[in-house]
Structures are given as C-alpha cells and as structure tokens.
C-alpha cells in the first residue's frame, strides 16, 4: 500500500505500508532507481538499522542495472552522524559531551553523596558496576524524554509500593547527577538530538532524497530526527 501524506507546510511523505514480505523494500529500491535515473547527481540517504547496512548495500547494488551506485548513502544512525559531522568539518562534534569515564566518575561521586538517602537501591549502589547500570538507564530515559520530574510523577501514579520507591530513588539519583553536571560545566547530551541540531548545517541534505526502511519502532528522539530529515529533504519515503 502506497500512501502520500502532507504534514504541514511543504513537507510531503510517501509511506509504503504492508506486512512483512509484501514488497515494501523492493518498492523502496525501485523508487531509488527511479531517482537515480530521473535526478542524476542528487544525493540519496537510505536509513536502515545499523546491523543491516552492509546487507542492504549489497542488495541495492545487485538491484541496480549497472550493478552499483555512487550517490546513495546506506547508513544507520551512527554512520549518518559520522558523515554529517564530517561534511560540516567537525567530526568530533558528537564527542563534546562528557566522556564515559567522566560519567562513571561523576555517578560514583553521586552515589557516595546520596547513598544515605537511598533505601531499596542502597545495596546496589555500593557495587562498582552500578554506575554503569545507571548510565544505561539514564541514556534510555533521555531517549524517551524522561527526566527526574517524569520519574517522580510516574512514582505518584503507581500503586505498587516497591516500584514507587524505586522510581523515586532513581529520580533522586538522576536529579543529583544533572546537578553535578551543571556544577562541573559538563553536558551529557543525547547523540541523536545532537545530530538533529547538526543536520541543517550539512551540505549532505541539499537536494537530498531520504528513504527509511527496516525499522520496527522508534523512540521519541528518533522521531525528532526523522522529522528533521523529512523537513530538509526534497523527497521523503518510509516503509513501515
């Protein structure tokens, strides 16, 4: 099923919708072939899950009559970020936030200072690996736009006392971590949101056709990235 959607302003999105095996990916490849023929030289971005990039590159090359392509970038989120930063002459832009070692040290400091205020998490907080666990949790929270206020609000809405206490203590830890970041003049940014802010500066988006395929779900920050890609692109196609 092929659906064209106009989203505000001039943004137009074509959606290929159907069950697995219904030919959505082939339709994407066919449209890419048409773009290469009708708009030679126009850049094309095919965004797919990171583990699938090499397989999709091979499949797309085999699909092309000439056995290859030169204007298509088959990328996952990580490769897209690298190429965008490279195109604006700032490959290390995504590395401006605090390092992983810095996060670990700061979280260890937070655990020492807040340990006495923890109940359910007090024993876990004494383990050296707990800082890494919190790093992963906080990263997931940010990808879903969840901060200390949202955790505290969620705690007030659950009836399970144990879960309520855990959410409150996580809110306490996250709030203390963000305070320490601010105190030390550091940021712990989300790499996807950093990419969203960098995209408008990239020459890669000039006359670019954007295709998205192979994803089963997106986080809220992924939707922010897709919206920016589609807003900057001359053509946007997504298969779902």
């Amino acid at each position: 099923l092929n659906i064209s959607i106009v989203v505000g302003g001039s943004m137009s999105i074509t959606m290929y919708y159907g069950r697995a095996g219904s030919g959505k990916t082939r339709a994407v490849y066919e449209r890419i072939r048409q773009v290469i023929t009708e708009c030679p030289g126009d850049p094309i971005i095919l965004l797919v899950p990171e583990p699938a990039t090499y397989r999709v590159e091979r499949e797309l090359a085999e699909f092309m009559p000439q056995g290859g392509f030169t204007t298509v970038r088959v990328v996952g989120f990580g490769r897209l970020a690298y190429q965008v930063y490279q195109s604006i002459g700032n490959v290390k832009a995504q590395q401006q936030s605090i390092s992983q070692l810095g996060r670990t040290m700061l979280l260890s400091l937070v655990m020492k200072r807040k340990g006495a205020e923890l109940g359910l998490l007090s024993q876990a907080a004494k383990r050296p690996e707990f800082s890494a666990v919190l790093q992963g949790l906080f990263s997931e929270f940010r990808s879903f736009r969840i901060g200390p206020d949202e955790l505290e609000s969620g705690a007030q809405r659950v009836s399970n006392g144990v879960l309520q206490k855990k959410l409150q203590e996580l809110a306490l830890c996250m709030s203390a971590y963000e305070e320490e970041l601010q105190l030390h003049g550091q940021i712990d940014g989300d790499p996807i949101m950093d990419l969203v802010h960098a995209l408008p500066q990239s020459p890669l988006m000039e006359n670019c056709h954007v295709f998205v395929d192979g994803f089963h779900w997106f986080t809220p920050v992924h939707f922010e990235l897709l919206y920016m890609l589609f807003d900057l692109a001359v053509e946007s196609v997504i298969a779902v």
Side-chain angles (χ1 to χ4, degrees):
L1 180 61
N2 184 339
I3 304 173
S4 293
I5 306 171
V6 177
V7 185
S10 59
M11 184 190 298
S12 177
I13 303 171
T14 299
M15 179 183 297
Y16 298 141
Y17 178 80
R19 58 179 175 76
S22 60
K24 301 188 300 292
T25 296
R26 182 177 179 84
V28 168
Y29 292 173
E30 182 60 45
R31 179 55 191 155
I32 290 175
R33 182 164 62 182
Q34 290 175 0
V35 172
I36 291 174
T37 301
E38 298 169 4
C39 309
D42 277 12
I44 299 169
I45 291 176
L46 174 53
L47 183 65
V48 298
E50 205 81 49
T53 52
Y54 295 109
R55 173 181 59 79
V56 172
E57 277 184 338
R58 185 178 65 253
E59 289 178 356
L60 185 60
E62 293 172 352
F63 187 82
M64 296 297 153
Q66 63 273 38
F69 50 82
T70 59
T71 58
V72 184
R73 298 174 184 269
V74 181
V75 294
F77 292 113
R79 288 180 66 184
L80 175 62
Y82 180 83
Q83 292 181 13
V84 165
Y85 290 125
Q86 189 177 50
S87 73
I88 61 178
N90 192 2
V91 177
K92 294 184 178 180
Q94 71 271 44
Q95 300 173 358
Q96 291 177 352
S97 61
I98 188 171
S99 67
Q100 184 172 344
L101 177 59
R103 290 189 193 98
T104 300
M105 293 176 65
L106 215 52
L107 282 168
S108 296
L109 178 63
V110 167
M111 290 301 97
K112 286 182 180 180
R113 291 179 174 176
K114 296 294 181 180
E117 300 178 43
L118 300 178
L120 291 174
L121 299 179
S122 60
Q123 292 303 312
K126 296 175 182 178
R127 297 176 178 272
E129 66 270 18
F130 189 61
S131 294
V133 173
L134 283 183
Q135 283 186 51
L137 278 174
F138 292 171
S139 178
E140 285 292 314
F141 290 160
R142 282 192 296 271
S143 70
F144 285 93
R145 296 297 184 86
I146 295 173
D149 290 342
E150 287 74 23
L151 289 171
E152 190 65 48
S153 176
Q156 302 306 317
R157 293 198 298 268
V158 299
S159 57
N160 184 300
V162 174
L163 178 57
Q164 182 182 68
K165 186 62 176 175
K166 284 183 178 179
L167 290 173
Q168 289 172 336
E169 292 184 8
L170 285 172
L172 173 68
C173 293
M174 193 172 190
S175 179
Y177 174 62
E178 291 181 351
E179 289 174 5
E180 288 295 333
L181 283 171
Q182 188 173 14
L183 182 64
H184 291 82
Q186 296 288 333
I187 60 171
D188 193 355
D190 185 287
I192 297 297
M193 289 307 300
D194 291 343
L195 177 56
V196 170
H197 297 141
L199 269 174
Q201 308 170 45
S202 174
L204 296 182
M205 298 308 301
E206 294 177 9
N207 298 318
C208 187
H209 303 253
V210 173
F211 296 81
V212 181
D213 186 29
F215 293 95
H216 298 294
W217 62 282
F218 297 101
T219 67
V221 293
H222 287 145
F223 280 120
E224 292 278 354
L225 176 60
L226 292 180
Y227 188 89
M228 180 60 73
L229 281 169
F230 293 164
D231 190 42
L232 296 172
V234 297
E235 176 185 12
S236 305
V237 177
I238 183 169
V240 295

